[in-house]
Amino acid sequence: MADPLPITFQEFVKLPELGIDVSNISFNTLTLQSDKFICIREKTPQREQVCVVDLEDTSKTFRRPITADSAIMNPENKIIALKAGRNLQVFNLEMKAKVKSCVMTDDVQYWRWITPFDIALVTETSVFHWSIEGTASPVKQFERHANLNGTQIISYTANAKMNWMALIGISAPQGRIVGSMQLYNKDRGASQPIEAHAAEFSEIRLEGASQPTQVFAFASRGANGSKLHVVEIDHVEGNPPFQKRSADIMFPPEAVNDFPVSMQAGPKYEVVYMVTKFGFIHVYDLESGACIFTNRISGETVFVTAPHQDGVIAVNRKGQVLSVCINEETVVPYILQHTANVELAFRLASRANLPGADQLYVQRFQQLMGQSQYNEAAKMAASSPRGMLRTENTINQLKHLQSVPGQLSPILQYFATILEKGELNRHESIELARPVLASNRKALLEKWLKEDKLECSEELGDIVHPHDATLALSVYLRANVPAKVVLCFAQSGQFDKIVLYCKKVGYTPDWVQLLMQISRVDAEKACDFALSLVKEDPPLITADQVVGVFSSQNMVQQTTRFLLDALKDNKESDAHLQTKLLELNLLNAPQVADAILGNSMFTHFDRPYIAQLAEKAGLYQRALELYDNLSDIKRVAVHTEVLNSEWLIGYFGNLSVGDSLAVLRQMLEHNMAQNLQIVVQAATKYSELLGPQNIIEIFEDLRCSEGLYYYLGSVVNVTEDPAVVFKYIQAAVSTGQLKEVERLVRDNNHYDAEKVKNYLKEASLPDQLPLIIVCDRFDYVHDLVLYLYSNGMAKYIEVYVQQVNPSRLPQVVGALLDVDCDESIVKSLISSTPAQFSIGDLVSEIEKRNRLKILHRWLEAQASNGSQDTGLYNALAKIYIDSNYDPEQFLSSNKFYDPRVVGAYSEKRDPNLAYLAYSQGECDDELLRLTSENGMFKQQARYLIKRRDLGLWAKALTGDDQQP
């Protein structure tokens, strides 16, 4: 059976089995930036696309129709960078969004991701770094060295600090593959041309070094042989110097033309993997440059590699995806057996904590102890692989040894060696803590704890606790000793951390007892702690338990704060706690209870009980909000001196109609003077709902005319109920508000005019203007005049026609004549009334009563003043005709009377006067009829000759023919 290999070899996948054509598997079409994704550009006559293989789950392989010269996947995320000519774009495939883009001024010959956020771009002349974060364009790092001219760029790498960079290209002069490398240091801005095919940056930890040593490894195959070189870069002051290492690279006879194509570091083991074109893997120890293993892993050309779990992953021309890494179980035995390099086996086992050299370690430890080289033995035990020598037995041996003057004791040397490279185990930590604390060097323990150099345990915490409770808490936390962690949290007042910690570690203390202890120390923090407990799902303590604890300590404020938060969901199941909260504050802090009730936070408490407490505390508004019983409401509502009037008015909107009316009545009965204004305001606001008649009834029953007046005054302008308007008129009259009565009867259109008229007549007001307005608006002028005249109030008749409505003079005069008013009074009234009435209507009213002559002088006076009113001259004509006061002269000379009206009036009295009027107005039809009926043919002929109208002649002749 073959000996086990020092490496683990694995085939991930064969790309052709994923449908990828072998023709698309090459350096120019396939890119491998990490062990997460492979990106292949697939090109067929039908389409171009990019295929992305997910190496963690090849079933998630996907393709996108993308046309590009090159595509590289981000080493960690599903972000792809595409190059088409000089256009560069970066896309987030998961978010389906463009991350960044730019256009280069020169062609990009090679590019790769150097971090998850940065892409290296190599043009013919320069190297750039382009960050996908922010908006910055690619930043030039350095110019290419002349030794790379005419080469194909195959690799670019940089160290972690990005201050060292290596660019590698190959060429084939005279049939030999020559590697050319440019090593650039950013700090010095200097380049060094080196012949090399592959290179890698890494770090190693030298014995006695406080910090890692940065190294650069590169390999070349020249005309005179092949070499691996390892050199130190950026030397750290205080570290031992690293001597350059060079080692021959052996190629088998069947690979005489082989050369390195890639190097990847294995930081855990401090090795470097070199892969050659022909598929060979070479593993070298970086510190010594010694070759650990060489063998062929692929029969096909390997053209691309990437780091993989402290090893290397590679792809060959056939599409095999392969990985190689150190086999931890076999590498040390392999070195011992095949290379006989015992020191290498020791160092590798120690630095990577590997098995295989245990017996040698035991033998060497005993040998050193036997030679009294105690410090060396201590160092060796401390650095033994997997801590095989780090036992109680070893510690007991070392701590009883005497120290050499001027040197550390063996046991301290032992601890120092472990602390330098790693951490102490449980027993070591305890053994070291005792002398450190005894010498009052607690700061050292704090430092080691922060650096995770100690293995914490309950015993270690107990040792530390008497010296520093906070430091002990840190130990208990790391050691997962819940009971003592909670105790320390409580002792140090860090109550807010207790729940989080217990939940995290699954520990359940006695919460009630713990809360009691905390409440005695800090009431406010106890409240916060209690809230955190009840908010857990499921709750770690009940709200009733918390209230019990707080009540026992008389913590009113904290109980209130706790319950306000704990009960904020307003659950019916918490009704008793809601009642408790309100009771507690109504008895101790009524203003707080008022605020709680005002926010309407709770609805399930005992309303009658809390209402009684609120009433006793003087919170009448809250009591009213809670009472349902009418007698309770009536008892509380009368306290308007302390109730907000606006709120109280709004409160009536929550009551039934009957209850509202009952409460309004009670308020007036209790203190009418104090409550009248609010009652009126409430009655006004809810008038339509409560019913005006019901409200009126209350005011009338309590003989509150003032209230009735103010109430009706607020609704009268919006109501259309005649009864309500009438009641308001009555109230206004009874309170002496005659100006308001006057305004209402003038402006309101919804009262019963007949009823109001009769009421005003019966009321015998000192001012009859309201009655005048009603009668004027609704045409009760005749009744008004009869009432005023018969009751000796003739002056109001003058007021009516002179100040209120002069246009009503004709009706007023007619009414006065009907009651046989003295003509002188009538004449005086007519003369004193402004000329804003119709003379025709005045004449008509007087003419109806055959008293037209009383207007004789007044009409002549109006005519002499230049009036051209037709009615005026019609009246004068009639007077002149009846009195035979030279009517012919008036009819023939006046142009303002109406000939038809005057002619018709004269026909029965004197046809000749009628003829004169008709002829003056050329009233042809009337004149022909008059002359024909009265045989006045001479006048008719004379008129026809005067008119010279053939049509009129024809009409006259036709009329003659029809005469009998």
Side-chain angles (χ1 to χ4, degrees):
M1 183 175 179
D3 292 335
L5 297 177
I7 63 169
T8 298
F9 175 80
Q10 180 185 358
E11 180 182 78
F12 275 77
V13 68
K14 293 180 179 178
L15 296 179
E17 293 178 357
L18 299 178
I20 299 169
D21 193 275
V22 175
S23 64
N24 292 318
I25 301 174
S26 69
F27 182 79
N28 291 323
T29 56
L30 183 147
T31 56
L32 177 68
Q33 303 290 300
S34 70
D35 58 358
K36 288 185 178 291
F37 305 104
I38 296 177
C39 190
I40 306 104
R41 290 187 298 114
E42 295 182 314
K43 187 173 184 180
T44 67
Q46 292 78 25
R47 66 183 183 277
E48 290 188 28
Q49 60 188 9
V50 170
C51 174
V52 178
V53 178
D54 189 331
L55 292 174
E56 294 179 352
D57 185 355
T58 56
S59 65
K60 295 181 180 179
T61 296
F62 59 90
R63 289 174 168 83
R64 295 288 185 272
I66 298 173
T67 301
D69 300 334
S70 179
I72 51 177
M73 283 294 292
N74 186 280
E76 291 186 3
N77 305 302
K78 287 188 177 180
I79 295 175
I80 191 170
L82 302 172
K83 176 168 71 73
R86 295 180 178 178
N87 293 302
L88 308 180
Q89 293 183 323
V90 181
F91 292 92
N92 188 312
L93 297 176
E94 289 183 321
M95 298 177 65
K96 298 181 180 179
K98 183 164 72 173
V99 178
K100 202 168 184 181
S101 65
C102 76
V103 179
M104 298 293 290
T105 57
D106 298 307
D107 294 337
V108 176
Q109 296 182 347
Y110 177 85
W111 66 335
R112 62 159 294 201
W113 291 90
I114 51 175
T115 74
F117 305 101
D118 299 282
I119 300 174
L121 308 170
V122 182
T123 68
E124 187 175 355
T125 61
S126 304
V127 175
F128 298 83
H129 286 182
W130 182 33
S131 173
I132 65 171
E133 296 181 306
T135 59
S137 300
V139 178
K140 182 177 178 180
Q141 302 299 309
F142 59 91
E143 293 183 356
R144 283 174 54 169
H145 195 274
N147 74 321
L148 291 170
N149 292 345
T151 64
Q152 178 188 359
I153 303 300
I154 62 169
S155 175
Y156 177 79
T157 185
N159 68 341
K161 294 182 179 179
M162 292 290 176
N163 65 328
W164 285 90
M165 304 145 196
L167 178 63
I168 300 173
I170 58 173
S171 58
Q174 301 175 354
R176 183 174 71 86
I177 302 300
V178 176
S180 301
M181 178 177 71
Q182 178 182 0
L183 179 63
Y184 177 76
N185 180 243
K186 189 173 184 178
D187 298 332
R188 296 194 295 267
S191 290
Q192 180 179 358
I194 302 172
E195 183 178 352
H197 291 76
E200 178 66 311
F201 294 96
S202 189
E203 64 181 28
I204 60 176
R205 183 175 285 275
L206 300 176
E207 186 174 354
S210 59
Q211 298 183 48
T213 296
Q214 305 298 315
V215 296
F216 175 60
F218 59 96
S220 65
R221 184 165 190 179
N224 299 320
S226 300
K227 289 283 189 179
L228 170 73
H229 303 278
V230 184
V231 297
E232 182 180 11
I233 58 172
D234 292 340
H235 178 72
V236 177
E237 192 68 31
N239 274 8
F242 176 76
Q243 299 298 322
K244 177 181 177 181
R245 302 286 191 258
S246 295
D248 291 331
I249 302 174
M250 305 303 296
F251 289 95
E254 67 269 23
V256 293
N257 294 320
D258 199 6
F259 61 90
V261 295
S262 171
M263 293 183 75
Q264 300 294 343
K268 177 180 179 181
Y269 311 107
E270 297 184 6
V271 300
V272 66
Y273 302 87
M274 184 184 75
V275 180
T276 70
K277 179 179 180 182
F278 286 6
F280 284 85
I281 183 77
H282 298 251
V283 184
Y284 290 92
D285 176 57
L286 282 170
E287 182 179 353
S288 64
C291 181
I292 296 174
F293 178 74
T294 300
N295 208 336
R296 194 166 197 167
I297 60 171
S298 171
E300 299 294 333
T301 299
V302 175
F303 63 89
V304 64
T305 67
H308 172 65
Q309 297 178 355
D310 277 293
V312 61
I313 187 170
V315 182
N316 65 20
R317 290 286 189 185
K318 291 296 185 181
Q320 282 183 293
V321 182
L322 313 168
S323 73
V324 173
C325 65
I326 293 293
N327 186 326
E328 295 190 347
E329 299 296 325
T330 62
V331 64
V332 173
Y334 180 88
I335 293 172
L336 290 172
Q337 182 177 351
H338 291 272
T339 69
N341 193 336
V342 176
E343 288 301 319
L344 174 59
F346 263 75
R347 285 197 303 272
L348 185 57
S350 178
R351 78 168 71 117
N353 204 26
L354 302 179
D358 296 3
Q359 190 60 37
L360 290 176
Y361 263 86
V362 173
Q363 292 174 2
R364 181 167 293 189
F365 176 74
Q366 295 299 338
Q367 181 183 357
L368 291 172
M369 290 291 287
Q371 297 172 353
S372 299
Q373 298 183 37
Y374 302 130
N375 282 0
E376 294 301 317
K379 291 181 182 179
M380 183 177 176
S383 58
S384 60
R386 306 183 322 284
M388 54 168 293
L389 292 176
R390 292 170 57 183
T391 63
E392 287 188 47
N393 183 48
T394 300
I395 293 174
N396 289 332
Q397 287 186 61
L398 295 175
K399 72 180 183 180
H400 292 103
L401 295 174
Q402 295 296 321
S403 60
V404 177
Q407 295 184 5
L408 285 175
S409 65
I411 188 62
L412 290 181
Q413 181 66 64
Y414 171 82
F415 288 136
T417 303
I418 298 174
L419 290 171
E420 182 181 351
K421 294 185 177 181
E423 63 179 48
L424 304 181
N425 60 31
R426 179 178 178 276
H427 188 70
E428 292 166 345
S429 300
I430 293 171
E431 289 294 335
L432 179 60
R434 287 193 176 102
V436 168
L437 290 172
S439 60
N440 198 26
R441 302 180 69 184
K442 183 183 66 173
L444 277 177
L445 276 184
E446 293 178 349
K447 174 178 179 294
W448 293 331
L449 278 173
K450 290 179 180 178
E451 296 173 352
D452 291 326
K453 296 290 187 180
L454 304 179
E455 181 179 338
C456 296
S457 62
E458 183 175 1
E459 187 176 356
L460 178 62
D462 293 343
I463 294 171
V464 174
H465 192 273
H467 299 272
D468 190 326
T470 302
L471 191 59
L473 172 60
S474 179
V475 174
Y476 290 136
L477 280 168
R478 296 164 188 255
N480 192 23
V481 187
K484 293 191 175 178
V485 169
V486 170
L487 181 62
C488 286
F489 275 142
Q491 290 174 343
S492 60
Q494 300 181 70
F495 309 117
D496 54 325
K497 297 180 180 179
I498 294 177
V499 176
L500 294 175
Y501 171 75
C502 290
K503 183 177 180 181
K504 181 178 180 181
V505 302
Y507 175 66
T508 307
D510 184 340
W511 295 111
V512 175
Q513 187 60 35
L514 184 59
L515 180 62
M516 181 70 76
Q517 294 175 0
I518 296 173
S519 65
R520 291 168 181 163
V521 176
D522 191 322
E524 286 303 317
K525 287 188 176 180
C527 183
D528 294 333
F529 182 55
L531 285 171
S532 66
L533 293 179
V534 298
K535 289 179 180 178
E536 292 299 316
D537 187 15
L540 301 177
I541 191 172
T542 67
D544 289 287
Q545 290 174 316
V546 174
V547 172
V549 171
F550 288 177
S551 297
S552 68
Q553 303 294 317
N554 196 30
M555 296 163 52
V556 175
Q557 287 185 331
Q558 289 73 28
T559 306
T560 300
R561 184 160 75 88
F562 167 76
L563 287 176
L564 283 174
D565 193 294
L567 304 179
K568 62 185 177 184
D569 292 333
N570 191 25
K571 297 178 181 177
E572 187 174 358
S573 58
D574 294 330
H576 65 292
L577 289 173
Q578 294 181 5
T579 303
K580 180 68 176 177
L581 169 64
L582 293 169
E583 176 191 37
L584 183 68
N585 284 282
L586 284 168
L587 295 175
N588 296 280
Q591 69 280 7
V592 176
D594 183 38
I596 295 172
L597 290 168
N599 288 329
S600 302
M601 298 172 62
F602 309 119
T603 58
H604 303 295
F605 55 87
D606 187 339
R607 296 173 67 89
Y609 175 61
I610 296 304
Q612 292 176 14
L613 293 179
E615 183 180 357
K616 291 178 181 178
L619 301 179
Y620 296 119
Q621 176 177 324
R622 304 307 173 199
L624 284 174
E625 291 172 339
L626 300 176
Y627 275 135
D628 294 322
N629 185 275
L630 180 59
S631 60
D632 294 327
I633 296 172
K634 290 166 64 177
R635 182 180 66 254
V636 176
V638 299
H639 295 286
T640 57
E641 72 280 5
V642 293
L643 285 168
N644 180 280
S645 59
E646 184 177 349
W647 176 87
L648 183 58
I649 293 169
Y651 171 73
F652 282 95
N654 302 324
L655 300 178
S656 67
V657 172
D659 288 354
S660 294
L661 293 171
V663 173
L664 290 175
R665 182 182 292 273
Q666 177 66 28
M667 291 171 67
L668 289 176
E669 290 176 347
H670 180 266
N671 190 332
M672 185 178 294
Q674 173 183 290
N675 299 335
L676 178 59
Q677 183 178 358
I678 292 179
V679 170
V680 169
Q681 291 175 348
T684 300
K685 183 173 183 177
Y686 302 105
S687 177
E688 186 176 348
L689 178 65
L690 301 178
Q693 293 303 326
N694 294 327
I695 299 172
I696 291 170
E697 182 180 345
I698 293 174
F699 285 120
E700 290 182 339
D701 288 350
L702 299 177
R703 299 179 182 179
C704 183
S705 299
E706 184 181 1
L708 182 62
Y709 169 71
Y710 286 119
Y711 159 67
L712 292 175
S714 63
V715 300
V716 72
N717 293 325
V718 296
T719 185
E720 296 183 2
D721 186 347
V724 173
V725 180
F726 181 71
K727 285 289 184 181
Y728 179 63
I729 293 172
Q730 286 183 312
V733 169
S734 64
T735 54
Q737 302 294 331
L738 298 186
K739 286 295 182 181
E740 180 62 13
V741 177
E742 178 185 331
R743 180 199 68 79
L744 183 77
V745 297
R746 179 187 299 111
D747 300 336
N748 194 282
N749 297 317
H750 303 293
Y751 58 86
D752 184 334
E754 179 71 24
K755 188 174 181 179
V756 171
K757 178 197 71 173
N758 294 334
Y759 170 73
L760 293 176
K761 288 165 64 176
E762 294 172 1
S764 299
L765 303 179
D767 187 348
Q768 296 300 316
L769 189 56
L771 176 63
I772 292 172
I773 293 171
V774 173
C775 293
D776 178 64
R777 286 189 63 192
F778 297 97
D779 205 20
Y780 295 131
V781 177
H782 197 274
D783 286 356
L784 174 65
V785 174
L786 291 181
Y787 170 75
L788 295 175
Y789 187 78
S790 61
N791 286 280
M793 291 184 283
K795 68 175 182 176
Y796 285 105
I797 298 176
E798 295 180 10
V799 170
Y800 176 40
V801 294
Q802 292 174 2
Q803 300 177 20
V804 178
N805 192 356
S807 67
R808 289 291 194 177
L809 178 66
Q811 294 95 314
V812 171
V813 170
L816 288 173
L817 292 177
D818 289 341
V819 296
D820 293 327
C821 179
D822 188 89
E823 285 189 1
S824 62
I825 294 176
V826 174
K827 289 179 181 179
S828 174
L829 184 63
I830 294 172
S831 299
S832 61
T833 301
Q836 298 173 10
F837 55 86
S838 170
I839 296 176
D841 291 343
L842 178 64
V843 170
S844 177
E845 289 292 333
I846 297 177
E847 187 177 5
K848 289 177 187 177
R849 294 164 176 79
N850 296 316
R851 305 284 291 276
L852 196 58
K853 287 184 180 180
I854 64 175
L855 289 177
H856 186 183
R857 298 303 178 196
W858 181 82
L859 291 173
E860 286 183 338
Q862 297 301 312
S864 64
N865 290 334
S867 175
Q868 297 182 3
D869 187 273
T870 300
L872 183 149
Y873 289 99
N874 288 344
L876 278 176
K878 292 176 182 179
I879 293 172
Y880 290 159
I881 291 170
D882 288 340
S883 60
N884 197 23
Y885 190 74
D886 197 8
E888 292 84 356
Q889 172 63 27
F890 181 82
L891 295 178
S892 59
S893 63
N894 193 276
K895 306 296 183 181
F896 302 115
Y897 66 87
D898 186 336
R900 286 186 175 80
V901 172
V902 174
Y905 182 81
S906 304
E907 283 188 14
K908 300 299 184 182
R909 292 170 173 76
D910 187 341
N912 290 312
L913 293 177
Y915 168 79
L916 181 57
Y918 287 146
S919 62
Q920 286 294 105
E922 296 184 352
C923 302
D924 298 337
D925 293 340
E926 289 81 355
L927 188 143
L928 291 178
R929 177 184 54 73
L930 173 71
T931 54
S932 296
E933 290 178 355
N934 291 282
M936 301 169 66
F937 298 113
K938 289 183 181 180
Q939 289 91 330
Q940 186 182 79
R942 202 177 291 120
Y943 179 75
L944 292 172
I945 292 170
K946 180 180 178 182
R947 290 279 282 125
R948 298 180 181 182
D949 186 336
L950 295 179
L952 186 59
W953 274 99
K955 187 182 291 187
L957 293 175
T958 301
D960 291 342
D961 292 341
Q962 294 176 352
Q963 295 294 322

